[in-house]
Amino acid sequence: MNDIQFVARFAALGKPLDIDAFALSSGFSGLRKALAMAPAEVVAEVKRSGLRGRGGAGFPTGLKWESIVGGDERYLVCNADEGEPGTFKDRFVLEHAPFLVLEGMAIAAYAIGARTGYIYVRGEYPQIVASLSSAIASAVKAGYLGEHILGSDFAFGVEVRKGGGSYVVGDETALLNSLMGNRGYPFLKPPFPTEKGLWGKPTIVNNVETLAYVPYIFAHGADAFASIGSPDSPGLKLFSVSGHVAHPGVYEFPMGSTVRDLEAAAGGAMGNLKAVQIGGTAGPVFDAAALDYSLDFASMRKAGGALGSGALVFMNTTVNMAQVLDVTMRFFAEESCGQCFPCRYGTRQLAFMANKIASGQGKVEYLDLMRDTARVMVGSSLCPFGQSIALPLESLLNGFGDEVVSFVKQQEFLKEAAV
Amino acid sequence: MKNVTLSVDGKKITVPECATVFSAAEKAGISIPTLCRHEDLEPKGACGMCIVKIEGQPGFKRSCVTRVEEGMDVFTSTAAIRDIRRGILELILAAHPADCLQCIKHGKCELQTLAERFEIRDLRYDRYTRGLSVDRSSLGIVRDMNKCIGCGRCVQVCNEVQTVASIFFHGRGSNTIVSPACGTTMGDSVCVNCGQCVVYCPVGALYEREAVEEVWNAIDDPDKVVVAQIAPAVRAAIGEEFGMEPGELGIGRLYSALKALGVDVVFDTNFSADLTIVEEATEFLGRLKKSDPFPLITSCSPGWVKFGETFYPDLLENVSSCKSPQQMLGALIKTHYVESRGLDRDNVVSLSIMPCTAKKFEATRPEMHSSDARDVDYVLTTREIARMIRQAGIDFRNLPDGVPDPLLSCYSGAATIFGASGGVMEAALRTAYEFATGKTLEKVDFVDMRGMAGVKEAEIDVGGTPIKVAVTNGLGNARKMLDRIAEEKRQGRSSYHFVEIMACAGGCVGGGGQPIPNTLARRAARIEGLYREDRDLPFRKSHENPEVKALYAEFLGSPGGERAHKLLHTEYIPRERYQFSG
């Protein structure tokens, strides 16, 4: 079992909304230390820690903060629009250690010069909106948010906003559009949100988990953070483990731990392990050889996938891969925002074909046509959503194509036999 | 601005640093395909057709939203790019109704053109249709979302340019639909029928509500006397439908064409444009004397009138009570003309040829029944009359110039410039000056009022009184002006005496019924044509029009008098934004 923990330690207190319990366990000590430093030093410290964004893309957090430019007003946005299937770690943090996120936000706001922060919570988490609001109220009352934070001149307020239930809004540009009351369409970069974000002002968008690890860097030092995990991806990571394992849940492990470590932590696979989907629905589906993969940004990239949000979905031999294909393609079709043509039309056709295959009306030719469609989408989709469909699709067709083909043929045979 | 040099398909090209790769390629003579970019609109990068390969950069880039950089090496048509473009087209076509032959955009459809250009011969995908009902609720515009490819130009022009915000994207993914709010229909929505969505639609998803069949029936009916009128802006654009240049005047040919089609009597809306000026100048000078609320705002543009009724009900008392030229002439056709020829009013069909889709709506307004029947029975757009001329096999370009019928067709240069933004104001000033001062206006060209600028202002000395005027075109510009007027009204003052508002950019030459493409560049060229005609006409001032003088002498009495008031003036009603009739 893993002995280095941070978020999980606060969660284990069992009193998520008790601000005194949080403070007594050395909560807010990171904020106190950060406020004693100059904002530029805070940014430098985060850069030195090597912390990378935990939302999926893994962009170095310090670098992002450093890149904010200009503006008479700046904003900090916490991305809590956790929509990736099989991912529930942000929910875990917000439910069990909300003050950690607020502390991280206060440090980030101080570093980038923001006076207002927003937490954009996915629409399907209504209870979190309520609990967060009460956490914010206690933090303001205790002087960790609001005017003169911890007796300093630094002022920072946080507001909670509820999303409308779109997956694409997890993308920071689409999220900003939604936050401004517009349709949740991604917009093209540049200009980056760090130049022109919310209401045209420089804005930093960070994931919940990213912000939750910021206090660690100040409470224990950038060196301590950097010493955990792998050189490419330092620190701890929250993994969402689900599917055919004995104890699905959120597990906090150092970056670079293996899939096997997580499988063991979750009580082992149920039945015979067949496949693992890593990084969410937009990630590849690997066969059981993936147990030896290291879970960090570089290693997963090398394995032809992505760490993504750190979701691990285990599948045993009872799973029909034609159905996995169907579920995955349907997800993309339902969540495509519809703005760009290749994604709007492509996801629909892919979902059609996958559904026909899974329901026994497939054609072997569909497999090639699906690959062609994915190639068009990779080459011409406007945002990473449409481009990312190729990862799960190609991994399913490359790794499990034989199974899908034989399922198609078997269904054809059964139909003919019935005549 | 700095210039940068880049290479497009091996061709060196120098362009300003703010240029996009798309426009740089255009300058290099390469037409990159697109289904969403439009030269008049901000590119959004929706369709993906314009992707290019930029050496040293990963993947492909959308050329419409990619800025040029010094030394860039761009390839616009590699095998991989052609493959992707064909892929996108195949995906669209699999979801697009295969009824090109019956489609109003057949032969002019941007999707069809690209499908042909990229040789889409068969579809590997299973076809599907959306099965949506066609929205024919609007009097001006038909909305068929089965054909929509989701390019977003209509949404952009309706929201960002016109600020009407009648239509927007609803739904998600392949269920995305362009629709008025809350599933209302176009007819029940805030739509003002300006038709700018129609002229920017690349396919047949938005189009004018046609009246061609009804007009053929009227022409074919031996008992009916079909009396036509032709709007100022039509003459500068109709030729484009037959391969002529924008701005090349087609009015003489159009008189001949209408006669050839079987129209019995041809009048000219330019006549009633002159009449409008006489009435409106009288109204304006009346306001000056009585110090009625200023500014007076013009009322010729029915898109603007509905916009005003919907968004600015408190300013309706500022809107001129003059009917538009179309409706003035309609009322005169059904009264004065009918009486003077001893005809039965019910056998006279009043037909107007307009650059406008909102005119179709205007003609149905209950206020527009001064003859106790519809004053204008049918409104055809420039595009529709061109279709009729083609159907009849008439060689429009080689037609001899015809002449209109007397009584209601003589016009001055002041009337013909009604088709251009600023034209009504210029025409009104020419007449108001002479009415107010009794002197002859020597310099008739008010050049400050001319051109495509969204807002134009001037101060004119009218017999010692400085008159401040403003001209706006495009409803987005109108909205800014109206907000200012409303704010000043609350403060009990007004910066302007007289304001001209036209719903469409450039004025009527850019109306929703004009030939497509209806780009800003073409609108500017059409405007040139109108000012050329103005310059060359024997009369340049509306009140000098002999037929107008005769009309007052024989029929109307005095400008602003009782009969004129009954036939030539109207009133406005505040409107709810949406009618929830469901």
Side-chain angles (χ1 to χ4, degrees), chain B residues 148-168:
Chain B
C148 175
I149 58 173
C151 70
R153 287 183 199 164
C154 57
V155 170
Q156 233 177 317
V157 79
C158 186
N159 289 268
E160 295 167 24
V161 180
Q162 298 294 65
T163 68
V164 173
S166 159
I167 45 174
F168 205 76

Side-chain angles (χ1 to χ4, degrees), chain A residues 79-303:
Chain A
N79 184 347
D81 189 53
E82 185 176 51
E84 191 64 57
T87 308
F88 37 87
K89 46 106 186 166
D90 292 341
R91 171 181 179 165
F92 177 85
V93 180
L94 292 170
E95 280 181 349
H96 297 282
F99 292 117
L100 216 42
V101 180
L102 296 180
E103 185 184 354
M105 285 185 77
I107 297 170
Y110 176 70
I112 64 163
R115 288 177 53 90
T116 310
Y118 295 95
I119 307 179
Y120 186 98
V121 182
R122 88 180 279 219
E124 291 87 340
Y125 290 169
Q127 72 284 19
I128 290 180
V129 172
S131 63
L132 259 182
S133 303
S134 107
I136 290 167
S138 335
V140 170
K141 211 170 142 196
Y144 298 110
L145 290 177
E147 300 295 322
H148 303 293
I149 292 174
L150 293 173
S152 71
D153 283 342
F154 171 56
F156 176 62
V158 176
E159 290 177 33
V160 182
R161 291 286 183 275
K162 201 173 139 188
S166 150
Y167 172 83
V168 168
V169 168
D171 171 87
E172 62 175 7
T173 61
L175 185 148
L176 291 175
N177 256 335
S178 174
L179 202 49
M180 291 185 283
N182 300 330
R183 195 169 157 82
Y185 275 169
F187 57 77
L188 286 153
K189 298 180 276 195
F192 289 90
T194 46
E195 285 168 58
K196 272 185 91 174
L198 207 55
W199 294 294
K201 308 287 183 189
T203 304
I204 293 288
V205 184
N206 282 141
N207 171 259
V208 170
E209 184 190 341
T210 313
L211 289 164
Y213 279 121
V214 167
Y216 185 104
I217 298 167
F218 294 90
H220 304 285
D223 294 331
F225 188 86
S227 70
I228 311 168
S230 55
D232 156 73
S233 315
L236 293 163
K237 170 90 192 88
L238 296 169
F239 294 96
S240 313
V241 182
S242 64
H244 291 127
V245 286
H247 306 297
V250 174
Y251 294 91
E252 187 173 38
F253 269 69
M255 282 281 194
S257 302
T258 62
V259 176
R260 199 182 299 281
D261 293 336
L262 270 303
E263 185 215 17
M270 293 158 64
N272 294 318
L273 185 66
K274 178 178 182 179
V276 195
Q277 187 166 31
I278 301 176
T281 292
V285 181
F286 297 102
D287 62 20
L291 282 174
D292 295 320
Y293 291 172
S294 294
L295 292 162
D296 59 54
F297 292 110
S299 311
M300 285 311 301
R301 180 79 48 203
K302 227 167 90 189

Side-chain angles (χ1 to χ4, degrees), chain B residues 258-277:
Chain B
L258 289 180
K259 288 289 170 75
L261 287 173
V263 170
D264 299 288
V265 179
V266 179
F267 289 144
D268 200 315
T269 316
N270 273 11
F271 165 82
S272 51
D274 278 334
L275 188 60
T276 302
I277 286 304

Side-chain angles (χ1 to χ4, degrees), chain A residues 15-97:
Chain A
K15 296 173 181 168
L17 294 176
D18 184 340
I19 196 162
D20 297 328
F22 179 76
L24 278 173
S25 312
S26 72
F28 295 118
S29 64
L31 175 61
R32 210 175 287 279
K33 287 184 186 166
L35 291 184
M37 301 160 77
E41 290 170 353
V42 174
V43 174
E45 193 70 359
V46 173
K47 259 180 95 177
R48 208 157 61 80
S49 76
L51 173 65
R52 296 175 65 171
R54 299 291 198 249
F59 191 81
T61 306
L63 209 59
K64 197 183 225 184
W65 291 6
E66 197 180 51
S67 68
I68 193 162
V69 280
D72 48 351
E73 174 109 57
R74 291 173 174 185
Y75 295 106
L76 173 71
V77 176
C78 170
N79 184 347
D81 189 53
E82 185 176 51
E84 191 64 57
T87 308
F88 37 87
K89 46 106 186 166
D90 292 341
R91 171 181 179 165
F92 177 85
V93 180
L94 292 170
E95 280 181 349
H96 297 282

